[in-house]
Amino acid sequence: MTQWIEIGALADIPRLGSRVVRTPGGNIAVFRTESDEVFALDDRCPHKGGPLSQGIVHNKRVTCPLHNFVIELASGQAVAPDEGCTHSHPAKVENGVVWLSVRQAVAVS
């Protein structure tokens, strides 16, 4: 099951910056581009687990602060020649508020 959670105001995330959301499934980095688009990725580089939230945002990409892996914000896919992928999460802005879609565990009895 998927649930949308309110992250906060878009203005609270700096342009070309990020904010970390802690979830039971791990940290998610929510990024804001220069044109106010938002994207969400697991806060973990596919290379060696570096914190993508501390990376440099440029265009619709983020560069990992540890080893300069470049990751596409929309897909989580590393840009060639780098290889790997980090999980992306749906994110949106409505009326200046950022929303993140997270998967909820469903109990099976």
Side-chain angles (χ1 to χ4, degrees):
M1 183 168 85
T2 301
Q3 175 184 356
W4 287 93
I5 59 172
E6 183 178 337
I7 302 306
L10 177 63
D12 291 340
I13 303 172
R15 282 199 170 102
L16 301 178
S18 68
R19 180 173 182 185
V20 176
V21 178
R22 294 183 190 345
T23 71
N27 290 345
I28 298 173
V30 179
F31 299 92
R32 179 181 178 188
T33 66
E34 180 70 31
S35 60
D36 294 335
E37 291 180 274
V38 294
F39 298 93
L41 301 173
D42 283 353
D43 191 20
R44 187 171 168 77
C45 180
H47 177 230
K48 294 207 176 194
L52 293 175
S53 60
Q54 296 176 26
I56 297 171
V57 178
H58 47 99
N59 299 317
K60 293 183 184 181
R61 296 176 172 171
V62 62
T63 299
C64 179
L66 295 185
H67 300 103
N68 294 323
F69 260 51
V70 178
I71 308 296
E72 294 283 354
L73 292 174
S75 66
Q77 188 68 44
V79 176
D82 300 328
E83 295 180 353
C85 188
T86 191
H87 184 74
S88 63
H89 302 269
K92 63 184 178 180
V93 178
E94 290 182 346
N95 299 318
V97 176
V98 179
W99 294 85
L100 174 65
S101 177
V102 294
R103 298 188 79 156
Q104 299 292 316
V106 176
V108 178
S109 49

